[in-house]
Every structure is written in structure tokens, then in C-alpha cells.
């Protein structure tokens, strides 16, 4: 149960913290500060994510993901963020580093002016969505720590309502698929990557090993024929599949609308959109959207996307890239109000730097730590 008195004390203290020399430690305990007002100090470093298995999608394969880890410090309190850059999004360690080097966040002496800060960051240069997300995520972590509350509580979400998260099985040889299905046993939803010629074979292996667990399918733009796609949607519907993600190339709007009209399964957009204004044109084309912080430029806009999608009567999914528990836990704070979650990016890497949200009995489990709810793993 939420301790209302404690929450109000924390929220009130946040206002004080912004306006007075009293501040709060990373874990919510008040600490006396002698300096008057601080400045936002940004630091960052590249951190290559090592994937536990080669990641095979319809259009490419890889064993590492470039990533930049970010810290935003204010009055001795540190917020953590990150930019993860899977190749198809077009960002790199070099572009993120150049973008972050171009920022002057020391001009802001009040971290609660989140609208001013993030509008400034967004207007420095177009695109650079993962780089922008790294600042947004670190700022949210910092503000939550100053307020002494986790973000799901600040937004008023019920942590008991978190969904199950899917576990991803990529396109691979039968032997590897079987090994990954074993690994997926604790999960209550299996996400299957499709779009090559082994689609039905992969599903048949999973159904043989796990007859009852619901699956969802991510085609990653891999299907080209609308008739084949419709046939697959019917075939998958008979095999306890919940939805199909990004069946066609993102430019195939008419084909997607055609499929959506006839498919027994909801069609979810992923590669087809990045930012908030993109969603408006999806009414009648897709049934729902897969929000990822590295596309949305972070939590601030992702939170607005949930509201807009609901207003358009669309389903909402929260997803991730291969990321550390920093960005994955950031996204998990939004999960109590989504239909589906695909937050296994931290489980796919071998060198996580944070302890954050956990998956218990397949369900996303949020903890009571302030900010995003993460703590760095010592020595990483
Ligand atoms: Mg996807």
C-alpha cells in the first residue's frame, strides 16, 4: 500500500529541494547542503553491450550493440541514463558523443524545469533520438531521487498492474531455437522473430516444447506479400498468438491497412514510427504502437504517447532495444498502463551495469527505490 503521508512529505520536499538549500540523498533521506543552488553536470562514456546470443533478425545479425552511458549530477545526486544504438536507427557512439558534447546543461540551475531542459535538448539538432533519450532518462532518475519516489508512483500508477513481459526468440537453427525455448520457460509470453523462410518451422518447435504459453510475433518488416501475411495471421491465430508486430516495410501503408482490416490478430507498429506526431496517421492502419524510449527520446514523450494512443483507441506496447537495466527499468515504470510489454533487453546482454526491475513469474516487478529504481552494480 502507498504510504500517503510519506508520499506527500516526499513530494513537498521536492518543491523545497528545488527552491532551497535542503536536498535529498539518492535514497530519499534529507541531507543538508551548504551551497545555494547547483547546476546540472553531464558526463558520459561509451559502453559496448555484449549480447549473450547472436541476434538474428529478418534484415541483419549482430553480437554487440553500441551504447553510451550517461550521468547527470545535481547537488551531489546522480541520475543515470543511456543511449543504445542498434544499427537500423542510424545513430552511433560517434554521433551520440558529438551530440552530448554540443549540449550546455550547466545553464540550467533547476532540474525540475524538465520542459525547458528537454525542449532545449530536442532543439539542439534534429534526430539523435537515442542521444536525447539518454538525457531524458538521466533527468528522470535524478528528479525521482530528489523527490525520493519512483516514477510509477509519481505518475500515480499501480505497480500491481504491471504486465507479463515477453522473452524473445530470434531467427536461428533448430538447435539454438530449442535451447532458447528452454531458457524461456519462466516466461508467460514468448516473442518470436520472423520474416525469413523458417517462420512456421520455428513456431512448430515452440508449440511442441511449450504448447500453452501465448506467443506474439515480430516480423521486423520481413513479409512482402499481403496474401501470405494474411494466411500467416490466420495460421498464427490458431496457435495462441496474441498479435503481429511490423509485418511489412514501414512504407507499405496501404498493404498494412489491408491486412489490418482482415487479420484476426492485432497489427502493431514498431519501425514505422519514432516520435509522438507520427502516431496520429496510424488510425486505421495499425491497431497499436510499440513505444521504445530510444525512439521517443525518452520517458517524457513516451508518457504522452500512451495518452495519445489511448485517445485514438489503440493498443499500447512498451518495448526496448538491447539495453542495460537502466533504460529497461525506466520503461518498466510506464508498464502498469500498457497492454503488452517486451522488456527483456537487459536479459539479452552479458555485461549489465545496473540492478533494476526484475521479472518474477514472468511478470514485470517494480521496486520501491526512488527515481528509475536502479542501482549501479559495483565494479561495472
Ligand atoms: Mg519490433
Amino acid at each position: 500500500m502507498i504510504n500517503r503521508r510519506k508520499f506527500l512529505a516526499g513530494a513537498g520536499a521536492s518543491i523545497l529541494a528545488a527552491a532551497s538549500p535542503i536536498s535529498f540523498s539518492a535514497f530519499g533521506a534529507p541531507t543538508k547542503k551548504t551551497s545555494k543552488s547547483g547546476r546540472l553536470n553531464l558526463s558520459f562514456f561509451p559502453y559496448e553491450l555484449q549480447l549473450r546470443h547472436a541476434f538474428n533478425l529478418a534484415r541483419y545479425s549482430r553480437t554487440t550493440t553500441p551504447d553510451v552511458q550517461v550521468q547527470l549530477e545535481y547537488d551531489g545526486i546522480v541520475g543515470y541514463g543511456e543511449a543504445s544504438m542498434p544499427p537500423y536507427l542510424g545513430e552511433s557512439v560517434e554521433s551520440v558523443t558529438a551530440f552530448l558534447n554540443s549540449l550546455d546543461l550547466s545553464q540550467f540551475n533547476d532540474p525540475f524545469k524538465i520542459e525547458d531542459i528537454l525542449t532545449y535538448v530536442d532543439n539542439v539538432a534534429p534526430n539523435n533520438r537515442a542521444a536525447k533519450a539518454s538525457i531524458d532518462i538521466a533527468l528522470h532518475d535524478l528528479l525521482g531521487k530528489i523527490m525520493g519516489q519512483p516514477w510509477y508512483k509519481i505518475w500515480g500508477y499501480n505497480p500491481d498492474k504491471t504486465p507479463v513481459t515477453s522473452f524473445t526468440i530470434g531467427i536461428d537453427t533448430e538447435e539454438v531455437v530449442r535451447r532458447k525455448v528452454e531458457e524461456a520457460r519462466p516466461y508467460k509470453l514468448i516473442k518470436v522473430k520472423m520474416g525469413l523462410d523458417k517462420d512456421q518451422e520455428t513456431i512448430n518447435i515452440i508449440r511442441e516444447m511449450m504448447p500453452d504459453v501465448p506467443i506474439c510475433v515480430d516480423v521486423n518488416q520481413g513479409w512482402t506479400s499481403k496474401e501470405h501475411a494474411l494466411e500467416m495471421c490466420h495460421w498464427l491465430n490458431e496457435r495462441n498468438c496474441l498479435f503481429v508486430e511490423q509485418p511489412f516495410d514501414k512504407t507499405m501503408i496501404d498493404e498494412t491497412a489491408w491486412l489490418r482490416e482482415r487479420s484476426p490478430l492485432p497489427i502493431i507498429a514498431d519501425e514505422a514510427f519514432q516520435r509522438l506526431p507520427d502516431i496520429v496517421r496510424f488510425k486505421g492502419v495499425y491497431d497499436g504502437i510499440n513505444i521504445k524510449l530510444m525512439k521517443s527520446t525518452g520517458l517524457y514523450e513516451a508518457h504522452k504517447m500512451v495518452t495519445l494512443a489511448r485517445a485514438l483507441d489503440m493498443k499500447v506496447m512498451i518495448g526496448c532495444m538491447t539495453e542495460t537495466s537502466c533504460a529497461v527499468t525506466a520503461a518498466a515504470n510506464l508498464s502498469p498502463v500498457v497492454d503488452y510489454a517486451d522488456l527483456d533487453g537487459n536479459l539479452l546482454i552479458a555485461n549489465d551495469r545496473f540492478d533494476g526491475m526484475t521479472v518474477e513469474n514472468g511478470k514485470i516487478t517494480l521496486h520501491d527505490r526512488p527515481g528509475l529504481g536502479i542501482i549501479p552494480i559495483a565494479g561495472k
Side-chain angles (χ1 to χ4, degrees), residues 215-245:
I215 56 172
C216 55
V217 158
D218 188 355
V219 188
N220 289 111
Q221 312 184 78
W223 290 341
T224 50
S225 148
K226 58 185 188 179
E227 289 78 14
H228 169 71
L230 182 58
E231 205 176 293
M232 283 301 294
C233 286
H234 282 290
W235 187 83
L236 289 163
N237 188 43
E238 289 162 11
R239 285 158 180 81
N240 197 13
C241 180
L242 301 183
F243 61 87
V244 171
E245 194 180 323

PDB file of all heavy atoms in Angstrom, residues 215-245:
ATOM      1  N   ILE A 215       2.094 -16.710 -27.555  1.00  0.00           N
ATOM      2  CA  ILE A 215       3.231 -16.142 -28.290  1.00  0.00           C
ATOM      3  C   ILE A 215       2.794 -14.847 -28.953  1.00  0.00           C
ATOM      4  O   ILE A 215       1.591 -14.583 -29.113  1.00  0.00           O
ATOM      5  CB  ILE A 215       3.760 -17.109 -29.377  1.00  0.00           C
ATOM      6  CG1 ILE A 215       2.637 -17.505 -30.339  1.00  0.00           C
ATOM      7  CG2 ILE A 215       4.409 -18.335 -28.763  1.00  0.00           C
ATOM      8  CD1 ILE A 215       3.122 -18.290 -31.551  1.00  0.00           C
ATOM      9  N   CYS A 216       3.744 -14.019 -29.311  1.00  0.00           N
ATOM     10  CA  CYS A 216       3.498 -12.894 -30.203  1.00  0.00           C
ATOM     11  C   CYS A 216       4.616 -12.921 -31.228  1.00  0.00           C
ATOM     12  O   CYS A 216       5.655 -13.542 -31.008  1.00  0.00           O
ATOM     13  CB  CYS A 216       3.429 -11.581 -29.442  1.00  0.00           C
ATOM     14  SG  CYS A 216       4.866 -11.225 -28.432  1.00  0.00           S
ATOM     15  N   VAL A 217       4.379 -12.261 -32.337  1.00  0.00           N
ATOM     16  CA  VAL A 217       5.285 -12.394 -33.464  1.00  0.00           C
ATOM     17  C   VAL A 217       5.772 -11.023 -33.911  1.00  0.00           C
ATOM     18  O   VAL A 217       4.967 -10.099 -34.037  1.00  0.00           O
ATOM     19  CB  VAL A 217       4.534 -13.133 -34.607  1.00  0.00           C
ATOM     20  CG1 VAL A 217       5.149 -12.857 -35.941  1.00  0.00           C
ATOM     21  CG2 VAL A 217       4.486 -14.626 -34.332  1.00  0.00           C
ATOM     22  N   ASP A 218       7.085 -10.904 -34.121  1.00  0.00           N
ATOM     23  CA  ASP A 218       7.642  -9.652 -34.651  1.00  0.00           C
ATOM     24  C   ASP A 218       8.300  -9.959 -35.984  1.00  0.00           C
ATOM     25  O   ASP A 218       9.297 -10.676 -36.052  1.00  0.00           O
ATOM     26  CB  ASP A 218       8.672  -9.084 -33.670  1.00  0.00           C
ATOM     27  CG  ASP A 218       9.126  -7.689 -34.079  1.00  0.00           C
ATOM     28  OD1 ASP A 218       8.704  -7.223 -35.164  1.00  0.00           O
ATOM     29  OD2 ASP A 218       9.887  -7.071 -33.318  1.00  0.00           O
ATOM     30  N   VAL A 219       7.724  -9.425 -37.048  1.00  0.00           N
ATOM     31  CA  VAL A 219       8.214  -9.733 -38.389  1.00  0.00           C
ATOM     32  C   VAL A 219       9.343  -8.784 -38.801  1.00  0.00           C
ATOM     33  O   VAL A 219      10.061  -9.033 -39.763  1.00  0.00           O
ATOM     34  CB  VAL A 219       7.040  -9.713 -39.408  1.00  0.00           C
ATOM     35  CG1 VAL A 219       7.489 -10.220 -40.770  1.00  0.00           C
ATOM     36  CG2 VAL A 219       5.871 -10.568 -38.907  1.00  0.00           C
ATOM     37  N   ASN A 220       9.513  -7.676 -38.093  1.00  0.00           N
ATOM     38  CA  ASN A 220      10.576  -6.705 -38.403  1.00  0.00           C
ATOM     39  C   ASN A 220      10.593  -6.334 -39.892  1.00  0.00           C
ATOM     40  O   ASN A 220      11.663  -6.343 -40.530  1.00  0.00           O
ATOM     41  CB  ASN A 220      11.950  -7.225 -37.971  1.00  0.00           C
ATOM     42  CG  ASN A 220      12.117  -7.252 -36.463  1.00  0.00           C
ATOM     43  OD1 ASN A 220      12.185  -8.326 -35.850  1.00  0.00           O
ATOM     44  ND2 ASN A 220      12.136  -6.094 -35.826  1.00  0.00           N
ATOM     45  N   GLN A 221       9.427  -6.079 -40.477  1.00  0.00           N
ATOM     46  CA  GLN A 221       9.254  -5.638 -41.865  1.00  0.00           C
ATOM     47  C   GLN A 221       9.573  -6.736 -42.880  1.00  0.00           C
ATOM     48  O   GLN A 221       9.784  -6.455 -44.051  1.00  0.00           O
ATOM     49  CB  GLN A 221      10.126  -4.415 -42.182  1.00  0.00           C
ATOM     50  CG  GLN A 221      10.055  -3.288 -41.154  1.00  0.00           C
ATOM     51  CD  GLN A 221      10.865  -2.085 -41.570  1.00  0.00           C
ATOM     52  OE1 GLN A 221      10.432  -1.297 -42.415  1.00  0.00           O
ATOM     53  NE2 GLN A 221      12.032  -1.929 -40.993  1.00  0.00           N
ATOM     54  N   GLY A 222       9.605  -7.994 -42.424  1.00  0.00           N
ATOM     55  CA  GLY A 222      10.122  -9.063 -43.276  1.00  0.00           C
ATOM     56  C   GLY A 222       9.160  -9.640 -44.300  1.00  0.00           C
ATOM     57  O   GLY A 222       9.595 -10.292 -45.245  1.00  0.00           O
ATOM     58  N   TRP A 223       7.851  -9.476 -44.146  1.00  0.00           N
ATOM     59  CA  TRP A 223       6.917 -10.042 -45.120  1.00  0.00           C
ATOM     60  C   TRP A 223       6.730  -9.066 -46.279  1.00  0.00           C
ATOM     61  O   TRP A 223       6.734  -7.843 -46.094  1.00  0.00           O
ATOM     62  CB  TRP A 223       5.552 -10.343 -44.468  1.00  0.00           C
ATOM     63  CG  TRP A 223       5.608 -11.502 -43.502  1.00  0.00           C
ATOM     64  CD1 TRP A 223       6.556 -12.467 -43.434  1.00  0.00           C
ATOM     65  CD2 TRP A 223       4.662 -11.791 -42.447  1.00  0.00           C
ATOM     66  NE1 TRP A 223       6.271 -13.353 -42.412  1.00  0.00           N
ATOM     67  CE2 TRP A 223       5.112 -12.967 -41.792  1.00  0.00           C
ATOM     68  CE3 TRP A 223       3.484 -11.195 -42.000  1.00  0.00           C
ATOM     69  CZ2 TRP A 223       4.437 -13.543 -40.723  1.00  0.00           C
ATOM     70  CZ3 TRP A 223       2.803 -11.764 -40.934  1.00  0.00           C
ATOM     71  CH2 TRP A 223       3.274 -12.930 -40.298  1.00  0.00           C
ATOM     72  N   THR A 224       6.536  -9.627 -47.474  1.00  0.00           N
ATOM     73  CA  THR A 224       6.404  -8.759 -48.651  1.00  0.00           C
ATOM     74  C   THR A 224       5.053  -8.926 -49.343  1.00  0.00           C
ATOM     75  O   THR A 224       4.609  -8.024 -50.040  1.00  0.00           O
ATOM     76  CB  THR A 224       7.526  -9.069 -49.673  1.00  0.00           C
ATOM     77  OG1 THR A 224       7.556 -10.483 -49.896  1.00  0.00           O
ATOM     78  CG2 THR A 224       8.882  -8.615 -49.146  1.00  0.00           C
ATOM     79  N   SER A 225       4.410 -10.093 -49.146  1.00  0.00           N
ATOM     80  CA  SER A 225       3.133 -10.340 -49.824  1.00  0.00           C
ATOM     81  C   SER A 225       1.983 -10.230 -48.831  1.00  0.00           C
ATOM     82  O   SER A 225       2.004 -10.863 -47.770  1.00  0.00           O
ATOM     83  CB  SER A 225       3.162 -11.743 -50.461  1.00  0.00           C
ATOM     84  OG  SER A 225       1.865 -12.315 -50.455  1.00  0.00           O
ATOM     85  N   LYS A 226       0.972  -9.439 -49.176  1.00  0.00           N
ATOM     86  CA  LYS A 226      -0.132  -9.272 -48.229  1.00  0.00           C
ATOM     87  C   LYS A 226      -0.964 -10.553 -48.107  1.00  0.00           C
ATOM     88  O   LYS A 226      -1.470 -10.858 -47.030  1.00  0.00           O
ATOM     89  CB  LYS A 226      -0.994  -8.050 -48.586  1.00  0.00           C
ATOM     90  CG  LYS A 226      -1.609  -8.055 -49.958  1.00  0.00           C
ATOM     91  CD  LYS A 226      -2.336  -6.731 -50.224  1.00  0.00           C
ATOM     92  CE  LYS A 226      -3.104  -6.830 -51.534  1.00  0.00           C
ATOM     93  NZ  LYS A 226      -3.840  -5.614 -51.861  1.00  0.00           N
ATOM     94  N   GLU A 227      -1.057 -11.311 -49.197  1.00  0.00           N
ATOM     95  CA  GLU A 227      -1.810 -12.570 -49.131  1.00  0.00           C
ATOM     96  C   GLU A 227      -1.099 -13.566 -48.189  1.00  0.00           C
ATOM     97  O   GLU A 227      -1.735 -14.223 -47.374  1.00  0.00           O
ATOM     98  CB  GLU A 227      -1.964 -13.197 -50.532  1.00  0.00           C
ATOM     99  CG  GLU A 227      -2.920 -12.457 -51.460  1.00  0.00           C
ATOM    100  CD  GLU A 227      -2.308 -11.203 -52.083  1.00  0.00           C
ATOM    101  OE1 GLU A 227      -1.067 -11.038 -52.018  1.00  0.00           O
ATOM    102  OE2 GLU A 227      -3.074 -10.371 -52.615  1.00  0.00           O
ATOM    103  N   HIS A 228       0.216 -13.665 -48.319  1.00  0.00           N
ATOM    104  CA  HIS A 228       0.991 -14.542 -47.434  1.00  0.00           C
ATOM    105  C   HIS A 228       0.844 -14.072 -45.980  1.00  0.00           C
ATOM    106  O   HIS A 228       0.662 -14.889 -45.074  1.00  0.00           O
ATOM    107  CB  HIS A 228       2.472 -14.527 -47.841  1.00  0.00           C
ATOM    108  CG  HIS A 228       3.375 -15.193 -46.847  1.00  0.00           C
ATOM    109  ND1 HIS A 228       3.397 -16.549 -46.637  1.00  0.00           N
ATOM    110  CD2 HIS A 228       4.277 -14.667 -45.967  1.00  0.00           C
ATOM    111  CE1 HIS A 228       4.279 -16.840 -45.697  1.00  0.00           C
ATOM    112  NE2 HIS A 228       4.822 -15.713 -45.256  1.00  0.00           N
ATOM    113  N   ALA A 229       0.897 -12.766 -45.760  1.00  0.00           N
ATOM    114  CA  ALA A 229       0.788 -12.212 -44.400  1.00  0.00           C
ATOM    115  C   ALA A 229      -0.570 -12.577 -43.792  1.00  0.00           C
ATOM    116  O   ALA A 229      -0.650 -12.974 -42.616  1.00  0.00           O
ATOM    117  CB  ALA A 229       0.969 -10.692 -44.442  1.00  0.00           C
ATOM    118  N   LEU A 230      -1.634 -12.464 -44.585  1.00  0.00           N
ATOM    119  CA  LEU A 230      -2.965 -12.769 -44.066  1.00  0.00           C
ATOM    120  C   LEU A 230      -3.083 -14.260 -43.730  1.00  0.00           C
ATOM    121  O   LEU A 230      -3.636 -14.632 -42.680  1.00  0.00           O
ATOM    122  CB  LEU A 230      -4.045 -12.363 -45.080  1.00  0.00           C
ATOM    123  CG  LEU A 230      -5.489 -12.598 -44.631  1.00  0.00           C
ATOM    124  CD1 LEU A 230      -5.800 -11.843 -43.336  1.00  0.00           C
ATOM    125  CD2 LEU A 230      -6.482 -12.181 -45.728  1.00  0.00           C
ATOM    126  N   GLU A 231      -2.531 -15.078 -44.616  1.00  0.00           N
ATOM    127  CA  GLU A 231      -2.525 -16.527 -44.369  1.00  0.00           C
ATOM    128  C   GLU A 231      -1.785 -16.835 -43.053  1.00  0.00           C
ATOM    129  O   GLU A 231      -2.247 -17.622 -42.232  1.00  0.00           O
ATOM    130  CB  GLU A 231      -1.780 -17.191 -45.540  1.00  0.00           C
ATOM    131  CG  GLU A 231      -2.140 -18.623 -45.826  1.00  0.00           C
ATOM    132  CD  GLU A 231      -1.384 -19.087 -47.078  1.00  0.00           C
ATOM    133  OE1 GLU A 231      -1.678 -18.574 -48.184  1.00  0.00           O
ATOM    134  OE2 GLU A 231      -0.484 -19.929 -46.914  1.00  0.00           O
ATOM    135  N   MET A 232      -0.636 -16.183 -42.863  1.00  0.00           N
ATOM    136  CA  MET A 232       0.150 -16.386 -41.638  1.00  0.00           C
ATOM    137  C   MET A 232      -0.623 -15.908 -40.398  1.00  0.00           C
ATOM    138  O   MET A 232      -0.571 -16.538 -39.343  1.00  0.00           O
ATOM    139  CB  MET A 232       1.489 -15.645 -41.729  1.00  0.00           C
ATOM    140  CG  MET A 232       2.532 -16.322 -42.594  1.00  0.00           C
ATOM    141  SD  MET A 232       2.969 -17.998 -42.048  1.00  0.00           S
ATOM    142  CE  MET A 232       3.748 -17.662 -40.473  1.00  0.00           C
ATOM    143  N   CYS A 233      -1.334 -14.793 -40.512  1.00  0.00           N
ATOM    144  CA  CYS A 233      -2.095 -14.280 -39.356  1.00  0.00           C
ATOM    145  C   CYS A 233      -3.161 -15.300 -38.929  1.00  0.00           C
ATOM    146  O   CYS A 233      -3.361 -15.534 -37.739  1.00  0.00           O
ATOM    147  CB  CYS A 233      -2.732 -12.932 -39.687  1.00  0.00           C
ATOM    148  SG  CYS A 233      -1.539 -11.583 -39.729  1.00  0.00           S
ATOM    149  N   HIS A 234      -3.838 -15.906 -39.913  1.00  0.00           N
ATOM    150  CA  HIS A 234      -4.837 -16.933 -39.579  1.00  0.00           C
ATOM    151  C   HIS A 234      -4.155 -18.159 -38.963  1.00  0.00           C
ATOM    152  O   HIS A 234      -4.629 -18.716 -37.970  1.00  0.00           O
ATOM    153  CB  HIS A 234      -5.630 -17.334 -40.834  1.00  0.00           C
ATOM    154  CG  HIS A 234      -6.683 -16.318 -41.205  1.00  0.00           C
ATOM    155  ND1 HIS A 234      -7.826 -16.127 -40.445  1.00  0.00           N
ATOM    156  CD2 HIS A 234      -6.764 -15.431 -42.219  1.00  0.00           C
ATOM    157  CE1 HIS A 234      -8.568 -15.168 -40.989  1.00  0.00           C
ATOM    158  NE2 HIS A 234      -7.934 -14.720 -42.060  1.00  0.00           N
ATOM    159  N   TRP A 235      -3.051 -18.582 -39.555  1.00  0.00           N
ATOM    160  CA  TRP A 235      -2.305 -19.760 -39.064  1.00  0.00           C
ATOM    161  C   TRP A 235      -1.824 -19.509 -37.624  1.00  0.00           C
ATOM    162  O   TRP A 235      -1.959 -20.359 -36.750  1.00  0.00           O
ATOM    163  CB  TRP A 235      -1.123 -20.014 -40.010  1.00  0.00           C
ATOM    164  CG  TRP A 235      -0.364 -21.274 -39.755  1.00  0.00           C
ATOM    165  CD1 TRP A 235      -0.682 -22.531 -40.195  1.00  0.00           C
ATOM    166  CD2 TRP A 235       0.846 -21.409 -39.001  1.00  0.00           C
ATOM    167  NE1 TRP A 235       0.264 -23.435 -39.759  1.00  0.00           N
ATOM    168  CE2 TRP A 235       1.213 -22.777 -39.018  1.00  0.00           C
ATOM    169  CE3 TRP A 235       1.657 -20.517 -38.305  1.00  0.00           C
ATOM    170  CZ2 TRP A 235       2.358 -23.260 -38.383  1.00  0.00           C
ATOM    171  CZ3 TRP A 235       2.793 -20.990 -37.665  1.00  0.00           C
ATOM    172  CH2 TRP A 235       3.133 -22.354 -37.701  1.00  0.00           C
ATOM    173  N   LEU A 236      -1.304 -18.298 -37.366  1.00  0.00           N
ATOM    174  CA  LEU A 236      -0.818 -17.947 -36.025  1.00  0.00           C
ATOM    175  C   LEU A 236      -1.969 -17.836 -35.025  1.00  0.00           C
ATOM    176  O   LEU A 236      -1.834 -18.199 -33.855  1.00  0.00           O
ATOM    177  CB  LEU A 236      -0.045 -16.620 -36.079  1.00  0.00           C
ATOM    178  CG  LEU A 236       1.313 -16.691 -36.775  1.00  0.00           C
ATOM    179  CD1 LEU A 236       1.800 -15.288 -37.147  1.00  0.00           C
ATOM    180  CD2 LEU A 236       2.327 -17.410 -35.888  1.00  0.00           C
ATOM    181  N   ASN A 237      -3.098 -17.338 -35.496  1.00  0.00           N
ATOM    182  CA  ASN A 237      -4.265 -17.180 -34.616  1.00  0.00           C
ATOM    183  C   ASN A 237      -4.715 -18.536 -34.062  1.00  0.00           C
ATOM    184  O   ASN A 237      -5.214 -18.618 -32.938  1.00  0.00           O
ATOM    185  CB  ASN A 237      -5.393 -16.506 -35.401  1.00  0.00           C
ATOM    186  CG  ASN A 237      -6.570 -16.142 -34.504  1.00  0.00           C
ATOM    187  OD1 ASN A 237      -6.376 -15.642 -33.392  1.00  0.00           O
ATOM    188  ND2 ASN A 237      -7.782 -16.384 -34.975  1.00  0.00           N
ATOM    189  N   GLU A 238      -4.515 -19.573 -34.849  1.00  0.00           N
ATOM    190  CA  GLU A 238      -4.895 -20.921 -34.385  1.00  0.00           C
ATOM    191  C   GLU A 238      -3.855 -21.497 -33.420  1.00  0.00           C
ATOM    192  O   GLU A 238      -4.033 -22.579 -32.879  1.00  0.00           O
ATOM    193  CB  GLU A 238      -5.027 -21.865 -35.593  1.00  0.00           C
ATOM    194  CG  GLU A 238      -6.247 -21.553 -36.451  1.00  0.00           C
ATOM    195  CD  GLU A 238      -6.134 -22.168 -37.856  1.00  0.00           C
ATOM    196  OE1 GLU A 238      -5.213 -22.992 -38.085  1.00  0.00           O
ATOM    197  OE2 GLU A 238      -6.958 -21.797 -38.713  1.00  0.00           O
ATOM    198  N   ARG A 239      -2.759 -20.787 -33.248  1.00  0.00           N
ATOM    199  CA  ARG A 239      -1.675 -21.279 -32.374  1.00  0.00           C
ATOM    200  C   ARG A 239      -1.438 -20.354 -31.188  1.00  0.00           C
ATOM    201  O   ARG A 239      -0.313 -20.183 -30.732  1.00  0.00           O
ATOM    202  CB  ARG A 239      -0.406 -21.468 -33.218  1.00  0.00           C
ATOM    203  CG  ARG A 239      -0.511 -22.715 -34.087  1.00  0.00           C
ATOM    204  CD  ARG A 239       0.394 -22.707 -35.291  1.00  0.00           C
ATOM    205  NE  ARG A 239       0.202 -23.945 -36.057  1.00  0.00           N
ATOM    206  CZ  ARG A 239      -0.797 -24.144 -36.922  1.00  0.00           C
ATOM    207  NH1 ARG A 239      -1.693 -23.195 -37.135  1.00  0.00           N
ATOM    208  NH2 ARG A 239      -0.914 -25.291 -37.565  1.00  0.00           N
ATOM    209  N   ASN A 240      -2.493 -19.768 -30.690  1.00  0.00           N
ATOM    210  CA  ASN A 240      -2.447 -18.929 -29.485  1.00  0.00           C
ATOM    211  C   ASN A 240      -1.441 -17.786 -29.589  1.00  0.00           C
ATOM    212  O   ASN A 240      -0.632 -17.550 -28.690  1.00  0.00           O
ATOM    213  CB  ASN A 240      -2.150 -19.791 -28.243  1.00  0.00           C
ATOM    214  CG  ASN A 240      -2.503 -19.074 -26.954  1.00  0.00           C
ATOM    215  OD1 ASN A 240      -3.185 -18.046 -26.970  1.00  0.00           O
ATOM    216  ND2 ASN A 240      -2.045 -19.594 -25.833  1.00  0.00           N
ATOM    217  N   CYS A 241      -1.495 -17.082 -30.731  1.00  0.00           N
ATOM    218  CA  CYS A 241      -0.668 -15.887 -30.922  1.00  0.00           C
ATOM    219  C   CYS A 241      -1.521 -14.662 -30.573  1.00  0.00           C
ATOM    220  O   CYS A 241      -2.703 -14.608 -30.918  1.00  0.00           O
ATOM    221  CB  CYS A 241      -0.198 -15.813 -32.376  1.00  0.00           C
ATOM    222  SG  CYS A 241       0.827 -14.374 -32.737  1.00  0.00           S
ATOM    223  N   LEU A 242      -0.924 -13.671 -29.876  1.00  0.00           N
ATOM    224  CA  LEU A 242      -1.701 -12.517 -29.414  1.00  0.00           C
ATOM    225  C   LEU A 242      -1.713 -11.351 -30.397  1.00  0.00           C
ATOM    226  O   LEU A 242      -2.690 -10.632 -30.493  1.00  0.00           O
ATOM    227  CB  LEU A 242      -1.154 -12.027 -28.070  1.00  0.00           C
ATOM    228  CG  LEU A 242      -1.153 -13.028 -26.914  1.00  0.00           C
ATOM    229  CD1 LEU A 242      -0.645 -12.354 -25.641  1.00  0.00           C
ATOM    230  CD2 LEU A 242      -2.546 -13.609 -26.694  1.00  0.00           C
ATOM    231  N   PHE A 243      -0.598 -11.136 -31.087  1.00  0.00           N
ATOM    232  CA  PHE A 243      -0.531 -10.030 -32.056  1.00  0.00           C
ATOM    233  C   PHE A 243       0.661 -10.208 -32.987  1.00  0.00           C
ATOM    234  O   PHE A 243       1.555 -11.011 -32.725  1.00  0.00           O
ATOM    235  CB  PHE A 243      -0.460  -8.672 -31.360  1.00  0.00           C
ATOM    236  CG  PHE A 243       0.744  -8.483 -30.485  1.00  0.00           C
ATOM    237  CD1 PHE A 243       1.941  -8.006 -31.010  1.00  0.00           C
ATOM    238  CD2 PHE A 243       0.696  -8.773 -29.127  1.00  0.00           C
ATOM    239  CE1 PHE A 243       3.056  -7.830 -30.208  1.00  0.00           C
ATOM    240  CE2 PHE A 243       1.806  -8.601 -28.305  1.00  0.00           C
ATOM    241  CZ  PHE A 243       2.992  -8.127 -28.860  1.00  0.00           C
ATOM    242  N   VAL A 244       0.655  -9.420 -34.064  1.00  0.00           N
ATOM    243  CA  VAL A 244       1.749  -9.426 -35.039  1.00  0.00           C
ATOM    244  C   VAL A 244       2.337  -8.020 -35.116  1.00  0.00           C
ATOM    245  O   VAL A 244       1.603  -7.043 -35.285  1.00  0.00           O
ATOM    246  CB  VAL A 244       1.243  -9.869 -36.436  1.00  0.00           C
ATOM    247  CG1 VAL A 244       2.325  -9.672 -37.485  1.00  0.00           C
ATOM    248  CG2 VAL A 244       0.799 -11.332 -36.401  1.00  0.00           C
ATOM    249  N   GLU A 245       3.660  -7.941 -34.975  1.00  0.00           N
ATOM    250  CA  GLU A 245       4.329  -6.642 -34.978  1.00  0.00           C
ATOM    251  C   GLU A 245       5.028  -6.403 -36.320  1.00  0.00           C
ATOM    252  O   GLU A 245       5.708  -7.297 -36.828  1.00  0.00           O
ATOM    253  CB  GLU A 245       5.348  -6.661 -33.831  1.00  0.00           C
ATOM    254  CG  GLU A 245       5.909  -5.329 -33.445  1.00  0.00           C
ATOM    255  CD  GLU A 245       6.906  -5.494 -32.285  1.00  0.00           C
ATOM    256  OE1 GLU A 245       6.678  -6.339 -31.386  1.00  0.00           O
ATOM    257  OE2 GLU A 245       7.915  -4.784 -32.293  1.00  0.00           O
TER     258      GLU A 245
END
